[in-house]
Amino acid sequence: MSTKLSALLCVVAAAATGVLAAPNCPPLGPVFEPARNFNGSAAIRAALANLTETLGARDVDNGPGVRANETSYSLEVFTTDEANPLLFSWHHTAPTLAKMSGNGTVGVQRTDANTVYRLGSLTKIHTIFTWLAEDGDAKWNEPITKYVPELAAAAKKAKDDPVANVAWDEITIGALASQMGGPIRDYGVLGEVTQQLNQSTMVGIGFPPLNSSDPTLPKCGIHPLCNRTEFFNGLLQAYPQYAPFTTPAYTNTGFQILAYALESITGKSFESTMNDRVLKPLGLKHTYLSNAPASEGIIPGSREDASWDFQLGDEDPAGNLYSSVGDISALGRAILRSTILPPSLTRRWLKPAALSSEPNAGVGYPWGVRRIRLAEANGKRMVDSFNKAGRIGYYSSLMTLLPDYGVGFSILIAGPNIPGNTNFNLADILGPQLLPALETAAREEAQARYGGVYANPSTNSSLRLTTQPDRPGLGIENWISNGTDMQTISVVLAAGYQGVDPSIRLYPTGLETVRPDGSKRVAYKAVYEDLNVPAKPDSMFSTDCGTWVSFTSVTYGTHALDQFIFEVGKDGQVKSLECLALRNPMSKT
Ligand SMILES: *[C@@H]1O[C@H](CO)[C@@H](O)[C@H](O)[C@H]1NC(C)=O
Ligand SMILES: *[C@@H]1O[C@H](CO)[C@@H](O)[C@H](O)[C@H]1NC(C)=O
Ligand SMILES: *[C@@H]1O[C@H](CO)[C@@H](O)[C@H](O)[C@H]1NC(C)=O
Ligand SMILES: *[C@@H]1O[C@H](CO)[C@@H](O)[C@H](O)[C@H]1NC(C)=O
Ligand SMILES: *[C@@H]1O[C@H](CO)[C@@H](O)[C@H](O)[C@H]1NC(C)=O
Ligand SMILES: *[C@@H]1O[C@H](CO)[C@@H](O)[C@H](O)[C@H]1NC(C)=O
Ligand SMILES: *[C@@H]1O[C@H](CO)[C@@H](O)[C@H](O)[C@H]1NC(C)=O
Ligand SMILES: *[C@@H]1O[C@H](CO)[C@@H](O)[C@H](O)[C@H]1NC(C)=O
Ligand SMILES: *[C@@H]1O[C@H](CO)[C@@H](O)[C@H](O)[C@H]1NC(C)=O
């Protein structure tokens, strides 16, 4: 190290200071603290004005992807900021709703934040939230067989014949929560053709006849619903899709089984646990696991055609819920703010459990994870979003969480012929307006709060913090420490700088120590980069963005050269900044 170090230090004299060129590689996560002064941001005001115009026009001209002439929808953009919990809302009632809903005899005639829609699979988030609120995730690596005895008996058969039998003792609770268990998608209820079409029709289109005594022919499903015994008898006839932890494979049965497991842990019905742990504590008065009152609902057709009354029975935890956008937003805020779960558990929950075959997507518990590149902010700035969509009958839904911004979308849709992707089409309208605006607003607030010169004249130490529209994080410039050019030395030490583009930028870590008087210490991480290294976008193994590997690679007396602490007064004003390794706080001037 010392030879390398002294060799590097020799380079310093020869190096010229250049203009920043290549993109920075920020750490995963927010590059600024989330914006809070939404009203004061011109970028957000412009985004919201654009959304108002865009959605208004679509609702009238029946634009593609939404079919607003016969589709009603409610959407909200919510935030974790208590002063501004709602950033944007939009409610569209299809002009044909009254006619479709029996001329106003069924359900509400105008949709608003409290209108009840069906959710379909968005229910799965409520189910996992209920589990986490009740029991945490300590059991998530335990086999499901420990809590569901019917499956324990079956697991042995998979040892001899893994093609035909599910290895239930290898499927963990976390595997079911993250769609990594691999059992059959549904039993009897959804997708089982014999529950929907008669035998002669099926034989007519090429399927073989099934003997009515064939045990694989479900005797229950939609009509009548299977009870627990029938469900397991049927489920154990089904081949696995995959061995556990092979590939994400969507399964509704997993959530029914999880609810049985939770019932065995709590000794209470799943419904009462959901009520006690989630719906009541959050005051979700327009959310129902089953049989919601039609008077609160939007029902664009007969109750039967819309599937308003259709119940999934024991499969309710996979997709039966009814809720309003106001309640979905309240749920999303509670997740992002960790009002029920400990913050470390929330952070663990809002991470992918597996990759998928799509490079910018992954699978969580059971989030769909979408990785969004923010080109405007910087070529390598990635915003991860955690989504859950659903569809049932005449309804479609989507909740999107953006932890980097403390912001989310709630989207609920009702209509007889909803184009399949309407929920994501609406998110595709919101996201491209809002994400860049949220990033800009956060950057402008960071500039206002932290930007400026920090100095300790008694030690001849100073630096300037600035932001730039095309750069992530807070840039450090002109850093002198104790009379020394620390701007160059630090990049030499931390990044082996030898070129012409040294870069130092600070990113929030989320670590804060708040004192009783409200003053606080706020920790930021610096990324030291030599931007004059060749980009390697097409290399098979080499990377040009591996920031996480080199954190804290230089310490001086244990303290990191890349750890910076802001001191913030009880008045909220930033007082000083200290690089931990240098032990030399500089006051904001
Ligand atoms: C921001 O504007 C909204 C809508 O005009 C208002 O409801 C809210 O109170 C304002 N928030 C702040 C913090 O001024
Ligand atoms: C909204 O923004 C998009 C993308 O920048 C732009 O194409 C569109 O014209 C804008 N619409 C309105 C009504 O401002
Ligand atoms: C709504 O618009 C679509 C496409 O433009 C059309 O096919 C459909 O018939 C319209 N529905 C009603 C109820 O007018
Ligand atoms: C609604 O009213 C119209 C006009 O009065 C009538 O033709 C139609 O049959 C009614 N529809 C229903 C579902 O009651
Ligand atoms: C099967 O269903 C078809 C289509 O609904 C119907 O025409 C036919 O009569 C049914 N056959 C029997 C045997 O029920
Ligand atoms: C159906 O299965 C039963 C019992 O195995 C058998 O007795 C019967 O002959 C079968 N019926 C047909 C039509 O194959
Ligand atoms: C489930 O239904 C079957 C009839 O299909 C019945 O024999 C059994 O007792 C039921 N089990 C439970 C737990 O209700
Ligand atoms: C500054 O450097 C001098 C030696 O040149 C040293 O005595 C002093 O302790 C240093 N102060 C700080 C704050 O690093
Ligand atoms: C502080 O250090 C810088 C960089 O070494 C030097 O140019 C400057 O003259 C010093 N200022 C004082 C007041 O010593």
Side-chain angles (χ1 to χ4, degrees):
M1 176 67 189
S2 64
T3 323
K4 187 183 154 210
L5 210 55
S6 47
L8 284 173
L9 288 168
C10 290
V11 176
V12 176
T17 330
V19 179
L20 297 182
N24 292 90
C25 174
L28 178 70
V31 297
F32 304 106
E33 293 170 30
R36 283 303 168 251
N37 181 12
F38 303 111
N39 293 3
S41 163
I44 299 232
R45 285 198 305 271
L48 299 182
N50 181 297
L51 289 178
T52 301
E53 272 203 50
T54 304
L55 292 171
R58 281 182 95 85
D59 288 350
V60 171
D61 76 8
N62 201 28
V66 177
R67 208 190 301 232
N69 63 340
E70 51 187 45
T71 305
S72 303
Y73 63 94
S74 295
L75 63 82
E76 290 188 347
V77 179
F78 58 88
T79 89
T80 54
D81 182 29
E82 285 175 72
N84 285 298
L86 194 60
L87 194 53
F88 181 75
S89 65
W90 192 263
H91 301 282
H92 168 68
T93 304
T96 49
L97 176 69
K99 199 160 161 239
M100 289 186 292
S101 62
N103 291 328
T105 57
V106 188
V108 303
Q109 291 309 296
R110 186 154 204 90
T111 179
D112 64 22
N114 295 328
T115 300
V116 174
Y117 294 67
R118 299 208 67 170
L119 301 186
S121 290
L122 174 49
T123 302
K124 293 181 172 72
I125 296 302
H126 299 70
T127 295
I128 296 303
F129 198 9
T130 298
W131 183 299
L132 292 173
E134 172 69 33
D135 203 60
D137 64 355
K139 298 192 177 76
W140 280 26
N141 282 326
E142 293 186 349
I144 188 69
T145 45
K146 190 167 169 188
Y147 302 100
V148 182
E150 290 94 331
L151 298 175
K156 291 186 194 72
K157 290 205 234 163
K159 305 285 178 272
D160 298 329
D161 185 357
V163 166
N165 297 283
V166 175
W168 289 105
D169 55 347
E170 295 172 6
I171 296 183
T172 60
I173 288 164
L176 293 178
S178 62
Q179 310 285 23
M180 289 296 285
I184 192 175
R185 182 186 178 100
D186 282 283
Y187 176 72
V189 184
L190 303 170
E192 174 58 51
V193 181
T194 60
Q195 286 280 308
Q196 291 155 42
L197 299 170
N198 65 31
Q199 187 93 174
S200 43
T201 302
M202 293 314 296
V203 169
I205 61 173
F207 285 82
L210 284 183
N211 190 325
S212 63
S213 68
D214 187 326
T216 65
L217 182 66
K219 307 290 183 301
C220 56
I222 299 172
H223 298 297
L225 291 167
C226 300
N227 64 28
R228 180 170 174 151
T229 316
E230 295 166 318
F231 169 72
F232 281 114
N233 284 343
L235 187 71
L236 297 178
Q237 312 279 334
Y239 279 41
Q241 306 189 70
Y242 282 97
F245 301 108
T246 303
T247 189
Y250 201 89
T251 58
N252 291 310
T253 47
F255 291 80
Q256 177 170 351
I257 295 166
L258 284 175
Y260 290 143
L262 192 60
E263 288 179 342
S264 103
I265 290 167
T266 60
K268 295 195 294 186
S269 73
F270 174 76
E271 180 160 25
S272 64
T273 307
M274 180 179 272
N275 281 330
D276 294 348
R277 292 296 186 174
V278 175
L279 305 191
K280 274 189 216 148
L282 297 180
L284 306 185
K285 297 201 168 61
H286 305 283
T287 303
Y288 306 87
L289 180 58
S290 57
N291 297 309
S295 58
E296 291 184 24
I298 179 161
I299 305 180
S302 73
R303 289 169 68 143
E304 192 184 354
D305 288 349
S307 294
W308 179 260
D309 297 300
F310 170 57
Q311 304 297 300
L312 293 169
D314 280 9
E315 208 179 71
D316 283 356
N320 206 69
L321 267 170
Y322 301 73
S323 191
S324 65
V325 276
D327 277 8
I328 299 296
S329 298
L331 182 93
R333 277 184 209 106
I335 294 172
L336 288 172
R337 294 181 60 204
S338 289
T339 52
I340 291 184
L341 303 181
S344 64
L345 178 50
T346 302
R347 292 196 294 272
R348 198 151 64 239
W349 189 20
L350 297 178
K351 288 286 182 294
L355 303 174
S356 80
S357 43
E358 211 181 352
N360 57 351
V363 182
Y365 300 97
W367 307 104
V369 186
R370 193 85 192 162
R371 315 208 69 201
I372 300 160
R373 223 174 247 296
L374 269 198
E376 301 87 346
N378 187 276
K380 292 175 179 167
R381 163 78 168 111
M382 190 68 92
V383 180
D384 286 343
S385 73
F386 293 81
N387 307 291
K388 189 72 198 83
R391 178 152 198 162
I392 188 169
Y394 281 3
Y395 302 90
S396 165
S397 65
L398 177 66
M399 177 166 75
T400 287
L401 300 183
L402 298 162
D404 282 8
Y405 302 120
V407 166
F409 311 155
S410 323
I411 300 174
L412 298 180
I413 301 164
N417 301 299
I418 309 173
N421 208 45
T422 301
N423 44 4
F424 286 105
N425 291 342
L426 286 167
D428 284 342
I429 294 173
L430 297 178
Q433 289 301 321
L434 286 170
L435 270 65
L438 288 164
E439 188 89 350
T440 298
R443 176 173 52 75
E444 288 170 352
E445 284 185 40
Q447 175 67 45
R449 189 176 308 126
Y450 295 112
V453 172
Y454 295 76
N456 181 351
S458 71
T459 62
N460 191 8
S461 301
S462 61
L463 60 73
R464 174 190 294 277
L465 286 189
T466 62
T467 60
Q468 292 79 35
D470 60 349
R471 295 280 149 190
L474 293 155
I476 291 184
E477 291 173 2
N478 304 331
W479 184 13
I480 293 168
S481 186
N482 205 11
T484 307
D485 170 15
M486 194 52 64
Q487 184 81 21
T488 309
I489 300 289
S490 61
V491 186
V492 169
L493 289 171
Y497 162 66
Q498 307 197 32
V500 292
D501 279 340
S503 162
I504 313 173
R505 304 198 76 86
L506 297 181
Y507 301 99
T509 63
L511 292 169
E512 282 190 8
T513 301
V514 183
R515 303 190 189 88
D517 69 355
S519 68
K520 57 186 179 180
R521 303 180 78 208
V522 181
Y524 271 63
K525 204 72 180 161
V527 175
Y528 297 98
E529 287 169 280
D530 181 351
L531 298 179
N532 191 37
V533 293
K536 299 187 166 179
D538 302 322
S539 304
M540 185 178 274
F541 289 102
S542 302
T543 179
D544 57 6
C545 190
T547 288
W548 67 273
V549 180
S550 46
F551 282 138
T552 315
S553 53
V554 179
T555 56
Y556 183 74
T558 305
H559 289 333
L561 183 63
D562 64 5
Q563 196 86 354
F564 284 72
I565 311 294
F566 287 101
E567 181 68 42
V568 179
K570 61 184 178 194
D571 58 359
Q573 297 295 311
V574 177
K575 303 291 185 213
S576 66
L577 175 63
E578 178 178 26
C579 169
L580 273 187
L582 298 177
R583 297 154 165 91
N584 179 15
M586 293 168 279
S587 302
K588 192 167 192 287
T589 58

